[in-house]
Amino acid sequence: MPAAALKNKPLPTQSTAKRSVLFDSPYAPMAKHRLPAGRPREWYVTHNRRLKAMRLAIALLDSGVYLANQAHDETIRSTAEEIGVHPPSNTTCHMVRALMRYSR
């Protein structure tokens, strides 16, 4: 095994999670695209919430949180901080857990 693979990963700083969340690769912001015009406002809110929940669920899975009951609100919010998105609402946290529950 190469010596580079044996190095310890740096610990995250100022995390509010009970369990540390480490990422193997950095997350870059997605390219923004315009959404279709003429839809009701609620459609846009739901669409953006689903995208955010999906990004958070993927980041949690990448960090080793595989079960929905391991993804507490504070874990999800600290993951959001790590990947650079605004802290999710309670509804979005619930949606993240639902996505993780049905991803198996």
Side-chain angles (χ1 to χ4, degrees):
M1 186 179 288
L6 298 175
K7 288 185 179 178
N8 290 335
K9 294 180 182 177
L11 294 175
T13 58
Q14 299 291 347
S15 179
T16 59
K18 291 180 183 174
R19 181 179 168 285
S20 64
V21 179
L22 298 174
F23 296 107
D24 289 333
S25 62
Y27 286 86
M30 301 272 304
K32 294 187 178 184
H33 299 284
R34 287 190 167 192
L35 294 175
R39 308 249 177 155
R41 178 174 171 74
E42 187 59 34
W43 184 90
Y44 298 105
V45 171
T46 304
H47 175 77
N48 289 330
R49 179 170 282 147
R50 286 179 183 155
L51 289 178
K52 185 177 198 175
M54 191 168 32
R55 286 188 196 111
L56 288 168
I58 291 168
L60 285 166
L61 290 169
D62 286 346
S63 70
V65 179
Y66 299 112
L67 300 175
N69 61 1
Q70 293 175 333
H72 303 287
D73 286 352
E74 59 270 4
T75 307
I76 295 171
R77 289 191 174 107
S78 67
T79 303
E81 183 181 323
E82 290 285 327
I83 65 172
V85 297
H86 289 285
S89 65
N90 291 337
T91 304
T92 306
C93 291
H94 180 75
M95 193 177 287
V96 168
R97 284 188 289 275
L99 283 171
M100 292 178 72
R101 199 170 292 120
Y102 294 109
S103 68
R104 298 194 269 159

